[in-house]
Amino acid sequence: MFSNVKRRGAAAAIVASAALVMAGCSTTVEPGSSETPNGDNGTPDANLAITFLPKNLGNAYFDTSDAGGAEAIAEFGGTYAEVGPAEASPDAQVSYINTLTQQGVGGIAISANDPEAICGALNEARDNGVKVVTFDSDTNPECRDLFINQATAEGIAQVQVDMIAEQIGGEGQIAILSATANATNQNAWIEMMKEILAADHPNIELVDVVYGDDDDQTSFDRTAALLQTYPDLKGIVSPTTVGISAAARYLSTSESKGQVAITGLGTPNQMRSYVEDGTVAAFALWNPGDLGYLAAYAAKALIEGEITGAEGDTFSAGKLGDYTVGPNGTVLLGDPYVFDANNIGDFNF
Ligand code: RAM
């Protein structure tokens, strides 16, 4: 089953680039700052000042996604900026959104910490002419113009269930170490994983779902607690790059190394040493740089009035080619990709 997943991933349209080129300028604008990131217009009158607002700063995944956004924005002559909270808490992004509205940016590309908590601020931004693109983690659809989805929730859930089932031999206790309790993306994937487990893996028991809050130390501590609470645990699935790397670090020096499987969603650079030392057999992800790049081009198309976000709208996204808006204002990047000892050397992000 696992090799099928790998073949599917390898055949997928997404080919994670061997090296992501950091392009464009990066500025950080604090809430309350009077700095205004004015757009350089690629098209007359279009305000192509686009600010990326990740769940939290200091997360390698968002460093890569936002660098992809910077690359795109540099290509089309806009102005890139990145702002964001230190902690991925539900309403931590609100003050940043409000500041960007006051500053009159043309677009916000945001990965939402909560589907609801930032809706008021985002809709106020939109009422003031700001185009809002969610990427990675969505809000409720009525709070944004478009959602750039990395892969379907079904696909992301399936690949993780397939990996853990393969790694524990199809039976035993597993736990999930997630990001924050309110994260739209992780919650959708977890619900889907539960359904797939129930339907296809009656001998795998999901004993707990715990939250490391996309904080390295919290995720590390939750891993230790899981192993202590469930002595028969056979595997952990962590659908977050922060969680899986912290869990792998814990396991790599614990007596559970090689006994308890750890898989989920990780970046190759953060997981490389744990694959090489045998702590981790395989994990999955997409190319976060491409995700940010696509989000930036989607924002540009909205700002320039080329699209409104309606189903069937098409726009071009530079090196990635043309994309069509699907149902519920969603644009799909591609399929998840599985990394293991055989291919991890090909990737650098
Ligand atoms: C973390 C974040 C992000 C998620 C990845 C897989 O970096 O929670 O939202 O998509 O993991």
Side-chain angles (χ1 to χ4, degrees):
M1 182 186 295
F2 181 45
S3 55
N4 287 341
V5 169
K6 274 204 284 198
R7 274 201 297 279
R8 268 210 307 277
I14 106 157
V15 177
S17 18
L20 285 169
V21 180
M22 309 277 282
C25 58
S26 167
T27 54
T28 300
V29 184
E30 294 303 323
S33 157
S34 59
E35 187 183 334
T36 301
N38 291 314
D40 300 324
N41 297 340
T43 293
D45 301 329
N47 176 6
L48 294 176
I50 299 168
T51 297
F52 274 66
L53 214 172
K55 282 180 173 176
N56 55 350
L57 296 180
N59 176 343
Y61 173 89
F62 291 115
D63 291 345
T64 304
S65 65
D66 295 7
E71 181 189 338
I73 292 165
E75 275 174 18
F76 58 70
T79 302
Y80 166 81
E82 182 195 51
V83 299
E87 288 181 8
S89 55
D91 56 6
Q93 292 166 311
V94 168
S95 62
Y96 294 90
I97 298 164
N98 291 340
T99 300
L100 292 171
T101 303
Q102 284 158 20
Q103 291 173 336
V105 296
I108 298 173
I110 183 167
S111 170
N113 277 315
D114 187 289
E116 187 66 49
I118 58 176
C119 272
L122 287 180
N123 277 329
E124 199 176 320
R126 295 170 76 203
D127 288 346
N128 283 280
V130 181
K131 299 300 178 188
V132 173
V133 173
T134 52
F135 71 99
D136 176 66
S137 181
D138 201 8
T139 54
N140 296 335
E142 59 273 15
C143 318
R144 45 70 172 167
D145 296 294
L146 275 181
F147 171 48
I148 313 301
N149 196 3
Q150 45 271 57
T152 63
E154 292 86 344
I156 295 170
Q158 185 73 53
V159 73
Q160 294 181 89
V161 171
D162 287 349
M163 289 188 297
I164 196 68
E166 167 79 15
Q167 292 172 23
I168 67 169
E171 59 183 1
Q173 294 185 342
I174 64 166
I176 291 175
L177 169 65
S178 190
T180 57
N182 290 26
T184 325
N185 52 345
Q186 274 90 12
N187 285 343
W189 305 334
I190 290 168
E191 279 317 300
M192 207 68 74
M193 281 194 268
K194 286 179 179 170
E195 286 177 25
I196 298 169
L197 284 168
D200 298 341
H201 297 285
N203 297 326
I204 297 179
E205 184 193 0
L206 176 61
V207 292
D208 211 346
V209 179
V210 299
Y211 299 92
D213 294 340
D214 268 352
D215 176 74
D216 177 72
Q217 188 60 47
T218 310
S219 304
F220 188 88
D221 294 344
R222 295 283 182 272
T223 306
L226 278 176
L227 292 172
Q228 206 167 25
T229 311
Y230 304 99
D232 295 330
L233 199 68
K234 291 189 73 181
I236 298 172
V237 179
S238 186
T240 147
T241 59
V242 179
I244 192 176
S245 55
R249 189 171 85 254
Y250 182 87
L251 278 169
S252 67
T253 60
S254 90
E255 58 190 22
S256 300
K257 179 182 170 186
Q259 309 298 313
V260 175
I262 169 73
T263 191
L265 305 174
T267 69
N269 285 353
Q270 287 178 297
M271 299 304 290
R272 193 177 318 283
S273 62
Y274 308 119
V275 170
E276 286 170 355
D277 76 5
T279 306
V280 173
F283 62 95
L285 200 67
W286 42 90
N287 185 333
D290 285 352
L291 186 67
Y293 185 96
L294 180 55
Y297 268 97
K300 171 185 185 282
L302 287 164
I303 292 166
E304 291 184 334
E306 187 189 342
I307 62 172
T308 61
E311 186 171 354
D313 276 356
T314 60
F315 64 99
S316 67
K319 66 180 182 184
L320 297 179
D322 294 341
Y323 283 81
T324 302
V325 178
N328 301 316
T330 296
V331 178
L332 192 61
L333 176 67
D335 290 317
Y337 185 92
V338 175
F339 302 89
D340 60 19
N342 294 320
N343 65 17
I344 197 164
D346 299 337
F347 299 95
N348 182 19
F349 64 86

